[in-house]
Amino acid sequence: MPSRHDPQLLKGVLTLLLLRLLAERESYGYEVVQRLHAHGLDSVLEGTVYPALARLERERWLISRLVASDAGPARKYYRVTPTGYDALIEATGSWLDLVDVVSGVLEQPLPTRPGKGV
Amino acid sequence: MDTARSLAISWIDRLRIERLVWTLDQRLYDLPRRSRIAHRHEVRQNLLTAATDVGTTAALRGLGNSRELAEEYRTAQFGIAPRPAYYSAALFLLTAQLIGTSLLGEAANAFARGITAANPHASGSYAWSGIAYLQSEVTYHFTDGHGDWRGGAWTPLAWVLWLTATILVGRLWRVIPGRHRSARTE
């Protein structure tokens, strides 16, 4: 079944989602992906999430540490820094404001469908 | 995330994972060494975990192709602005000099062979001006068909062309706005 989520839209809010999930608890890359999938965002690819984590770490919104794993090499766990936490609060506010505005537009009665050739 | 099921990874699956990790690594040469190694380890570890969870084929599919992944990592590192390709520049810098030197050396050798072909017992000194603008004059000293030669080095113009081509191939002029950007953000 094709995903019902627009990948471009998802990519736009990926930073916010990652910060939120990692603010809840420390996770490693694949686990973050699994948590996104568990929330219904099953079209999010690992190949999008891992570089995004790297970018957030570079921006010092995340910090990482290696944790030994029984299942193989050490896992890189990420958690949110105080700066990242502040960014999360600000971005969440912005997103919710945007959702309000967009919902206000989209929830109005739909105009008549345009005819062919228009 | 610990899951109830855990799939075994065969050595073929490990090779498939290593192949992707290796390919990705080759595409990340423009990144600082420490970042490149960290990304390689992280991707390998995540792939192994995913492979035990959903199988290697699904794990590799979920990651996408290495070219796009590498591009995402480069964007994460350098931003979306145009950036230099240090790896291409370094590769060109080395190979172009090897090829150029070999070419000019062959041209000089060809001239020497021409002398001995015309006179197998040639003796004396012979001068050849070299490849115009790119090579200094070559002087041959022969004694009874045997000899050696001096000269044939790259001219300043050849060096300038070589360096200019390196800048063009590596798009190194992009380093300057990149440095301005990083100075602003620090």
Side-chain angles (χ1 to χ4, degrees):
Chain A
M1 189 177 81
S3 170
R4 60 198 165 90
H5 302 113
D6 181 344
Q8 290 304 318
L9 274 178
L10 272 179
K11 202 166 183 178
V13 291
L14 186 60
T15 297
L16 181 58
L17 292 168
L18 294 178
L19 286 174
R20 177 56 193 252
L21 291 181
L22 292 169
E24 287 171 10
R25 74 162 194 269
E26 191 181 43
S27 287
Y28 59 93
Y30 181 63
E31 189 181 46
V32 173
V33 175
Q34 294 300 93
R35 289 172 67 190
L36 287 168
H37 290 181
H39 280 285
L41 300 169
D42 49 1
S43 55
V44 174
L45 294 175
E46 287 93 322
T48 310
V49 172
Y50 303 156
L53 290 172
R55 176 173 51 80
L56 293 176
E57 186 181 22
R58 182 173 159 72
E59 289 172 1
R60 300 188 178 132
W61 287 2
L62 297 179
I63 193 167
S64 67
R65 68 187 178 108
L66 289 175
V67 177
S69 162
D70 296 336
R75 284 173 175 161
K76 190 175 183 182
Y77 277 76
Y78 294 92
R79 67 174 188 275
V80 172
T81 61
T83 316
Y85 195 87
D86 293 341
L88 169 63
I89 292 171
E90 189 181 333
T92 303
S94 297
W95 172 253
L96 293 177
D97 284 348
L98 182 64
V99 167
D100 280 346
V101 172
V102 173
S103 297
V105 173
L106 296 182
E107 285 169 2
Q108 289 178 24
L110 201 60
T112 314
R113 177 192 287 271
K116 282 184 181 176
V118 176
Chain B
M1 180 181 287
D2 295 326
T3 54
R5 65 177 180 150
S6 179
L7 302 174
I9 305 177
S10 67
W11 65 270
I12 292 178
D13 288 341
R14 280 188 180 270
L15 282 178
R16 291 170 68 197
I17 289 171
E18 283 306 317
R19 179 175 169 272
L20 188 135
V21 171
W22 183 84
T23 311
L24 174 68
D25 190 57
Q26 298 306 302
R27 298 184 192 282
L28 291 180
Y29 264 96
D30 288 338
L31 264 57
R33 185 172 175 272
R34 182 182 285 189
S35 289
R36 184 166 60 83
I37 292 171
H39 293 329
R40 191 176 66 205
H41 287 173
E42 187 181 22
V43 167
R44 178 187 290 118
Q45 187 278 323
N46 281 324
L47 269 176
L48 287 170
T49 308
T52 59
D53 189 17
V54 295
T56 306
T57 302
L60 292 172
R61 193 185 307 126
L63 197 64
N65 74 55
S66 61
R67 185 186 300 276
E68 288 172 8
L69 184 60
E71 183 55 33
E72 293 271 357
Y73 271 123
R74 284 196 295 267
T75 303
Q77 181 81 30
F78 301 116
I80 54 172
R83 51 186 171 265
Y86 292 111
Y87 185 59
S88 302
L91 201 63
F92 179 84
L93 198 72
L94 296 172
T95 54
Q97 194 185 34
L98 280 175
I99 292 170
T101 304
S102 167
L103 202 69
L104 296 182
E106 272 306 308
N109 281 332
F111 185 78
R113 284 195 295 273
I115 294 169
T116 52
N119 180 5
H121 301 286
S123 294
S125 295
Y126 301 83
W128 176 54
S129 60
I131 296 177
Y133 305 113
L134 297 179
Q135 194 177 24
S136 64
E137 185 178 273
V138 187
T139 306
Y140 299 86
H141 300 283
F142 279 96
T143 305
D144 195 24
H146 299 284
D148 58 3
W149 51 278
R150 298 269 188 280
W154 284 22
T155 61
L157 176 64
W159 287 102
V160 168
L161 287 175
W162 175 59
L163 289 173
T164 305
T166 302
I167 290 169
L168 291 174
V169 168
R171 299 181 286 280
L172 298 181
W173 64 88
R174 292 174 175 174
V175 172
I176 298 167
R179 292 177 84 172
H180 291 168
R181 266 198 312 278
S182 60
R184 277 201 306 270
T185 54
E186 279 172 4

